[in-house]
Amino acid sequence: LWSGPAVTQSAGLGSDELNNIDIYKMASPSVAYITSTVYRQTFFYGLQAAKDLGSGFIINPNGEILTNFHVISGSQQVEVTLPDQTKYKATILMRDRVNDLALIKIEPKKKLTYLNLGDSDRLQVGQKVLAIGNPFGFDGTLTTGVVSSLGRTIEADNNRRMEGMIQTDASINSGNSGGPLLDSQGNVIGINTAIYGPNGGSVGIGFALPINRAKVMLDDFKAGRKP
């Protein structure tokens, strides 16, 4: 029979664990689950709907959401699901294919929480980062890691080269695309964009678009300029 104390004291949480918990609680309500629908005509079955899944994040109380261009590329219908399971039809405000960026908007039925954009020019290799997204449809997933390298060049779709990317070992998988990469203060410093690995699975090498590049697109949008 067990003869130890009736109540065991846990060791308590370390400062890094507490930081992870605080950032997740603060940021996760602003991370959206994006379903993009494309209708394609097929020979045998007529019009068929194909759905792509991705992530995005709210950047202001007006309902504007940043994501990747490839998440909403070619879509006839974009639906946003927030963590409280409220669903919205979204309109596409701006597409930037070169930088794989898109700005979409929902009409909020309630007050929205949103994320602050940090400064990706100040990043250092080794600093902690946190990714929140919807890998394989598992919404609200948190992964953590560090900045593994800066200024990486990767090959994107259609043989495009994307330069100046952030490399991280925070686990990024299919469905994470468009979600935020956060620093330990909860500021967005990147947009999770690409995976390096077999069959689209994470092997500890993921890439994020520096948030300062998205700021340029947002400035262009406010000024009425198109990329």
Side-chain angles (χ1 to χ4, degrees):
L1 292 176
W2 170 248
S3 58
V7 179
T8 21
Q9 295 292 326
S10 69
L13 299 172
S15 59
D16 193 52
E17 292 174 297
L18 291 171
N19 179 246
N20 293 343
I21 293 167
D22 288 344
I23 297 302
Y24 183 78
K25 286 180 177 178
M26 180 277 296
S28 60
S30 304
V31 179
Y33 185 33
I34 298 175
T35 306
S36 174
T37 305
V38 180
Y39 294 96
R40 298 186 178 97
Q41 190 74 33
T42 63
F43 184 77
F44 290 107
Y45 301 107
L47 202 62
Q48 296 282 296
K51 294 183 182 292
D52 288 324
L53 305 177
S55 305
F57 55 96
I58 303 167
I59 59 170
N60 58 41
N62 301 324
E64 292 179 358
I65 295 171
L66 271 175
T67 186
N68 284 134
F69 170 83
H70 74 260
V71 170
I72 55 91
S73 173
S75 62
Q76 280 87 33
Q77 182 177 305
V78 178
E79 184 179 74
V80 169
T81 304
L82 298 183
D84 63 2
Q85 299 307 304
T86 53
K87 296 181 186 294
Y88 298 87
K89 292 289 189 293
T91 55
I92 300 172
L93 299 180
M94 199 166 191
R95 306 174 197 245
D96 181 353
R97 183 185 181 90
V98 172
N99 290 304
D100 199 3
L101 283 166
L103 181 66
I104 65 175
K105 188 178 188 306
I106 61 174
E107 296 300 330
K109 305 167 188 171
K110 58 177 185 178
K111 186 176 181 181
L112 297 176
T113 61
Y114 58 93
L115 298 181
N116 294 319
L117 306 186
D119 184 0
S120 51
D121 289 342
R122 293 177 165 275
L123 290 176
Q124 298 186 67
V125 173
Q127 79 175 73
K128 174 181 163 181
V129 288
L130 306 90
I132 302 177
N134 305 291
F136 305 112
F138 292 106
D139 57 310
T141 296
L142 170 72
T143 56
T144 64
V146 297
V147 173
S148 302
S149 187
L150 295 165
R152 290 295 197 202
T153 298
I154 62 171
E155 295 290 332
D157 60 336
N158 298 325
N159 297 317
R160 288 185 305 111
R161 287 163 61 86
M162 297 189 68
E163 300 178 346
M165 301 291 284
I166 303 163
Q167 181 185 331
T168 178
D169 66 345
S171 183
I172 294 173
N173 287 286
S174 178
N176 273 113
S177 289
L181 189 69
L182 305 155
D183 64 16
S184 58
Q185 305 301 309
N187 299 309
V188 182
I189 47 83
I191 301 176
N192 301 317
T193 298
I195 305 157
Y196 181 87
N199 303 316
S202 176
V203 291
I205 299 178
F207 297 96
L209 186 81
I211 197 62
N212 285 7
R213 206 169 300 173
K215 288 180 184 177
V216 174
M217 184 190 75
L218 295 173
D219 288 343
D220 287 343
F221 176 73
K222 289 176 184 175
R225 297 186 295 266
K226 293 186 177 181

